[in-house]
Amino acid sequence: MSRKWLSNFALAGTIRLLIMNSEYQKIIGNRVEVSTALNSWKRVTEGVYLHKFGIDPYEGDLFHETPIGLYVFTLMQEYLPQWALFLLFVVVDLTTALCLAHAAKHYAFELTMKKKEEKDEKELSKDVPNTSALYVSTAYLFNPYIILNCIGLTTTVFTNLLYSIVLVSMTRRSVLWSCATIALLTLQGLYPMSLMVPATIYVATTAKNRKISIVTMLIVFTSILAILFAVSYCIMGSWSFLWSTIGFILTVPDLRPNIGLYWYFFTEMFEHFRWLFIASFQINVSLLYIVPLALRLRRDPMLLAFSYLAIAAIFKSYPCIGDVGFYISLLPLWKHLFQHMQQGFIVGCFLLFCTVFAPTVWHQWIYSRSANANFYFGVTLAFAIAQIFLLTDILFASVKYEFAVQHGIDKKINGNEAKLLLE
């Protein structure tokens, strides 16, 4: 097992470093599917340059990282040469895979214990946690979306690391680490605040007094978030960063194309409908699904966290393939649900075709001028639909699995494997 781990990490790191030091690095870094207004390293470099010369980087529409991020990125660019910067991105990406492996191992162990309580002897295996950890880390290390995200030097690499720490902290029931990492992510991207729900469920399930544990989580999270805002204010000396970070995410002023749905709608609509659409879109991604999913998936908070991550990656203001690749890498956690899924082939084909067609249609639109914005938006819309199919399919598979476990359904009919259909 250790040889597999070492070979996987070595190969993944080598692939990243080789492409980073090739002529393809700049091409990938400039792709709209990889870099957005929120995670572009080019924008980070320009923001650091402005800050170094005493100019507020939050004036205008250029820099959208947090002041804490600005401080860290300034240190990185001052003290790290280019080769060390490349190496840092690769190490952070490999660390994310390692954290996901630990989270997968803990989650698989919990599933195994549940199955033991349910006396599901066929599903039991002592090696399940290690296998699940290996599958998840491999899915992350060799995910094309993640590889391109790392090669493009996007700040989503660091965001994914924080997400992985959140998942590890959740499975370990760590109040401080869960709240701290979610607070950092909330300061940067707002939508990760929803992860407080599964984190709180994890902590409350093992606490002696659930009400006290819930209140504790809320107090710790609010306190850390307030401290982070105070630190950000001390770094910049003003609150100007709020409009360029959280305000920028909520109001969507930058309408350059990406793999999301906002840019086309807000480009085509009449201006007096803008705030109605902004409210509708933001409620959809941040509020609409939190309570229903929490009620339905309260017994499986990891699947709940996966659902929130997927919804944010699909409907957020400025998504990139790094967001999509992260939650797709978590799919091996639910390999026991694959037998109940029905849309796997369709979703796989959709994702593959959209991944190939997106740069093709972009070239036809921008360079050849033989297409227009409708073509590219058609690809991004299909990409979003494929992700919605994937999420709904795995949620329905979870329902089918629970039904099969409770009722002890035989999966064979006349000696042949059968599928459970819910109508």
Side-chain angles (χ1 to χ4, degrees):
M1 184 66 72
S2 60
R3 288 182 179 180
K4 288 183 179 179
W5 282 85
L6 289 175
S7 60
N8 284 347
F9 277 79
L11 180 58
T14 303
I15 291 172
R16 285 163 169 79
L17 285 174
L18 286 176
I19 305 178
M20 277 181 174
N21 289 281
S22 70
E23 59 184 6
Y24 297 108
Q25 192 278 323
K26 289 185 178 179
I27 298 174
I28 294 171
N30 291 328
R31 291 298 313 169
V32 294
E33 298 87 4
V34 177
S35 296
T36 67
L38 291 179
N39 70 355
S40 171
W41 188 250
K42 185 183 292 185
R43 287 176 177 248
V44 168
T45 303
E46 293 174 354
V48 168
Y49 183 84
L50 292 173
H51 183 63
K52 189 184 298 184
F53 285 90
I55 303 172
D56 188 355
Y58 296 108
E59 290 182 0
D61 189 24
L62 175 67
F63 187 76
H64 305 289
E65 294 289 340
T66 63
I68 295 174
L70 176 63
Y71 180 77
V72 173
F73 295 139
T74 301
L75 294 177
M76 288 169 55
Q77 297 203 2
E78 282 185 359
Y79 297 105
L80 294 179
Q82 188 178 39
W83 66 268
L85 191 64
F86 287 173
L87 185 61
L88 176 64
F89 271 85
V90 173
V91 170
V92 170
D93 221 24
L94 299 184
T95 305
T96 302
L98 194 61
C99 291
L100 288 179
H102 281 291
K105 187 173 182 178
H106 285 286
Y107 178 68
F109 179 77
E110 290 177 1
L111 284 182
T112 304
M113 296 306 295
K114 284 182 181 179
K115 291 171 184 175
K116 189 174 182 180
E117 292 175 1
E118 294 164 358
K119 298 180 180 180
D120 194 354
E121 303 291 341
K122 295 179 182 179
E123 300 284 351
L124 283 176
S125 174
K126 293 182 179 180
D127 200 40
V128 165
N130 292 327
T131 304
S132 182
L134 179 62
Y135 287 168
V136 169
S137 63
T138 303
Y140 184 87
L141 291 172
F142 299 104
N143 189 318
Y145 296 155
I146 296 298
I147 294 174
L148 292 174
N149 180 66
C150 181
I151 294 168
L153 300 181
T154 67
T155 58
T156 306
V157 171
F158 302 100
T159 303
N160 286 345
L161 176 61
L162 291 176
Y163 275 128
S164 66
I165 295 173
V166 169
L167 297 180
V168 174
S169 304
M170 282 168 45
T171 56
R172 289 180 173 272
R173 275 79 173 175
S174 173
V175 175
L176 180 61
W177 278 99
S178 297
C179 293
T181 47
I182 295 173
L184 272 171
L185 288 166
T186 301
L187 182 69
Q188 183 185 29
L190 186 65
Y191 303 123
M193 188 186 294
S194 61
L195 292 176
M196 277 299 296
V197 177
T200 303
I201 293 174
Y202 256 118
V203 173
T205 50
T206 56
K208 293 181 179 179
N209 192 317
R210 293 187 177 183
K211 291 183 179 180
I212 293 178
S213 64
I214 293 172
V215 172
T216 303
M217 285 286 289
L218 293 176
I219 292 174
V220 173
F221 172 75
T222 306
S223 302
I224 294 175
L225 188 60
I227 292 171
L228 291 176
F229 275 114
V231 171
S232 300
Y233 176 81
C234 291
I235 293 174
M236 296 308 302
S238 69
W239 296 104
S240 61
F241 67 92
L242 286 176
W243 182 256
S244 294
T245 53
I246 295 176
F248 183 80
I249 292 169
L250 288 175
T251 58
V252 201
D254 192 323
L255 299 180
R256 271 169 270 199
N258 52 55
I259 62 169
L261 303 175
Y262 285 68
W263 65 273
Y264 186 84
F265 280 98
F266 287 99
T267 300
E268 296 294 329
M269 77 171 62
F270 293 108
E271 189 62 26
H272 56 276
F273 288 124
R274 180 178 179 82
W275 290 107
L276 173 64
F277 274 80
I278 284 178
S280 301
F281 275 62
Q282 297 297 351
I283 289 172
N284 180 66
V285 64
S286 58
L287 298 175
L288 190 61
Y289 306 102
I290 289 181
V291 174
L293 286 175
L295 292 175
R296 182 63 190 84
L297 301 175
R298 62 188 182 278
R299 295 187 183 89
D300 194 348
M302 183 62 79
L303 184 57
L304 178 62
F306 170 84
S307 303
Y308 289 156
L309 289 171
I311 289 170
I314 298 168
F315 297 113
K316 69 192 295 187
S317 306
Y318 300 98
C320 70
I321 57 174
D323 303 315
V324 179
F326 182 83
Y327 80 80
I328 287 180
S329 301
L330 298 175
L331 285 176
L333 286 174
W334 297 282
K335 59 182 183 294
H336 60 284
L337 301 180
F338 290 171
Q339 59 187 330
H340 299 291
M341 295 176 67
Q342 298 176 344
Q343 311 293 342
F345 179 75
I346 296 175
V347 170
C349 290
F350 260 71
L351 293 178
L352 177 61
F353 292 154
C354 292
T355 304
V356 174
F357 284 151
T360 304
V361 174
W362 177 266
H363 181 83
Q364 290 179 328
W365 174 24
I366 301 300
Y367 299 102
S368 301
R369 297 186 179 181
S370 57
N372 55 37
N374 296 324
F375 287 73
Y376 190 76
F377 177 68
V379 175
T380 60
L381 184 61
F383 192 64
I385 291 172
Q387 295 178 73
I388 293 170
F389 274 22
L390 175 62
L391 178 59
T392 54
D393 197 22
I394 198 165
L395 292 179
F396 274 116
S398 175
V399 174
K400 296 173 189 176
Y401 177 78
E402 290 182 8
F403 186 84
V405 169
Q406 290 178 4
H407 297 273
I409 293 177
D410 189 1
K411 300 174 185 175
K412 291 186 177 181
I413 299 177
N414 297 327
N416 298 321
E417 289 290 335
K419 282 189 176 181
L420 175 65
L421 299 176
L422 295 182
E423 296 182 356

